Amino acid sequence: MTGVFSLLPEGQLGLLQSPLSGAEPYGDTEDLPRYLAVGGYAPLPAPDRLLDWIADAGLRGRGGAGFPAAVKLRAVRDAPGRPVVVANGEEGEPGSVKDRWLLRHRPHLILDGLRLAAAMTGAERGFVYLSDAPSERAVRRALAERRTGLRVDVVRTEPAYVAGEETAVVRRIDGGPALPTPKPPRPFEKGIGGAPTLVANVETLARLAVLHACPDVAGAVAGAHLVTVSGGAGTAAALVEVPAGTHLKLPADLCGHGTADAVLLGGLFGGLYGSRWADLPLDHDRMTAAGGALGCGALHFLHPGDCPVAVAAEATAYLAAQSARQCGVCVSGTEALAGALTAVGRGETDDDTRDRLRRWSGQLPGRGACGLLDAAARIVATLLAHFPDRIDAHRRATCPACEAERSDDGGRFRVPVP
């Protein structure tokens, strides 16, 4: 990795450079004395007061959907039964490293956030759900150093794109496979052991802890995002914390992608975006309005030697391979999209290829039990929207990028954890 950076203006406290993390980013795992010394595990405020702070700050979940955190917390608190809280650290997106970085280096920050979530919902039991062995070791070490009054268990699962989906999390913790289930009910209604359950991304919980410690800059903390930046042969990836509304140009320039032709947004969920990518703001609502999606905040840049058809083909092939294979429409739909794009890359298109891709990408979203099928359809829809001539162009000339050997394991998008 190039490194871990914070671009927050001086005085606006973030996860990486703040009183909760010291003057410099962590290069190792924080221990309890270090966390306590900078204000960790501060006394609990009144739960309603903390909920109001979160709502006023506008904190949104960092798992991908960007749902308002206060609304989700209140829904779990108000549901009948004794709630359960879960720190979800299963980072299914191959191009994202933020959750594993936090688990490995800031486990007390996450456990502090889990403690706060339990206080706001009335939960007496919590879980940390993950698939990464170094993350598990860091969390167990932190739990051995301090018990917060909340019973916390660690549940390890096998890594998979769908394993972090909230119903898959509940199913796995309840002893089943880490596969999504039909909705409703959603976990806030009926989750682990039938209890109302908060499944919160670990970055969301980390920001809860920072908000608690630093209420005077709550808006800055709630609006900032941890972004994984990758792409380009020979260009190292980086984890960057950026202020709310930052245009993509800033982290791109910092990480050596200022001359990129396009970007794959939000991991594999946000789709492709073409030449005007530099002006996109890192904000859920404004990015959605521009036709993209922020998702988990992972950005994969395409440089002049990269072909968007090849990138889309590899992404959809990976999603097809990662399908839970529980929904027939997901299995057939992702395989059809991936197969068609692979054929395009081989120059095997016909007059109807573009129309078929457009029709499928419009008909498939919303028909699966989770967001995997939606992600595949969005990749194809945005390929057609931002690169409308590329399908036909592959009929007229050989494309070296598409001819290059590739697999369905997401290797193009994977980056190491710093």
Side-chain angles (χ1 to χ4, degrees):
M1 299 284 287
T2 296
V4 183
F5 305 98
S6 176
L7 301 183
L8 294 185
E10 186 176 353
Q12 292 189 351
L13 307 178
L15 291 174
L16 306 182
Q17 293 174 315
S18 76
L20 287 184
S21 63
E24 299 295 335
Y26 280 102
D28 55 5
T29 299
E30 65 181 347
D31 58 16
L32 180 61
R34 190 175 185 181
Y35 188 60
L36 292 175
V38 293
Y41 296 117
L44 290 169
D48 287 344
R49 184 182 179 193
L50 184 54
L51 260 172
D52 289 341
W53 283 344
I54 293 164
D56 292 344
L59 179 65
R60 301 175 74 158
R62 294 299 195 271
F67 194 76
V71 174
K72 195 170 183 179
L73 284 159
R74 287 193 173 108
V76 173
R77 179 198 64 181
D78 296 341
R82 177 65 71 180
V84 177
V85 289
V86 180
N88 183 8
E90 167 41 22
E91 201 161 29
E93 287 283 0
S96 178
V97 297
K98 68 182 183 69
D99 296 338
R100 282 168 290 163
W101 188 90
L102 286 167
L103 285 162
R104 292 182 185 188
H105 298 284
R106 304 299 318 275
H108 281 293
L109 186 66
I110 294 165
L111 293 175
D112 201 356
L114 192 64
R115 173 188 73 123
L116 295 166
M120 286 183 282
T121 59
E124 295 179 346
R125 189 178 186 192
F127 293 87
V128 179
Y129 176 82
L130 44 74
S131 64
D132 178 56
S135 297
E136 182 181 9
R137 289 193 294 270
V139 171
R140 290 192 183 279
R141 192 159 52 241
L143 284 169
E145 288 182 313
R146 179 183 177 105
R147 294 291 177 177
T148 62
L150 176 72
R151 176 188 168 188
V152 178
D153 295 309
V154 180
V155 175
R156 176 102 171 259
T157 190
E158 291 299 315
Y161 188 84
V162 299
E165 194 271 343
E166 62 177 6
T167 62
V169 173
V170 168
R171 193 175 181 183
R172 172 68 183 87
I173 293 174
D174 271 341
L179 299 174
T181 58
K183 296 168 279 288
R186 292 190 174 273
F188 80 87
E189 299 167 308
K190 184 179 180 182
I192 295 167
T197 300
L198 175 77
V199 180
N201 173 261
V202 295
E203 184 189 347
T204 310
L205 294 171
R207 292 196 181 277
L208 281 181
V210 180
L211 281 168
H212 176 219
C214 311
D216 292 344
V217 288
V221 173
H225 287 269
L226 283 172
V227 177
T228 309
V229 182
S230 66
T235 303
L239 181 63
V240 186
E241 187 178 26
V242 297
T246 299
H247 288 171
L248 263 62
K249 179 174 173 53
L250 183 59
D253 285 345
L254 174 69
C255 300
H257 301 288
T259 60
D261 290 336
V263 61
L264 182 62
L265 299 165
L268 302 182
F269 181 75
L272 288 159
Y273 208 90
S275 59
R276 291 173 287 117
W277 62 263
D279 294 327
L280 282 176
L282 286 162
D283 173 89
H284 280 285
D285 292 337
R286 287 193 283 169
M287 191 171 284
T288 299
L294 180 56
C296 66
L299 306 172
H300 182 84
F301 287 94
L302 281 66
H303 288 260
D306 297 317
C307 174
V309 172
V311 171
E314 187 164 337
T316 52
Y318 172 75
L319 291 170
Q322 288 288 306
S323 171
R325 310 196 75 79
Q326 297 183 132
C327 307
V329 67
C330 179
V331 175
S332 60
T334 55
E335 289 180 352
L337 293 171
L341 288 177
T342 298
V344 170
R346 292 171 177 164
E348 298 170 358
T349 59
D350 56 37
D351 293 339
D352 298 325
T353 298
R354 188 160 28 153
D355 289 339
R356 285 199 305 274
L357 287 169
R358 181 173 288 108
R359 184 172 65 254
W360 292 340
S361 64
Q363 293 174 344
L364 292 173
R367 298 183 63 187
C370 67
L372 184 146
L373 181 58
D374 292 10
R378 186 191 290 268
I379 288 169
V380 174
T382 53
L383 173 69
L384 295 172
H386 289 272
F387 305 95
D389 300 327
R390 289 301 184 102
I391 304 298
D392 291 338
H394 279 67
R395 299 176 65 181
R396 298 191 296 270
T398 300
C399 175
C402 287
E403 283 191 325
E405 183 178 352
R406 61 180 183 272
S407 66
D408 61 4
D409 66 356
R412 176 195 295 265
F413 310 108
R414 293 188 185 279
V415 296
V417 181

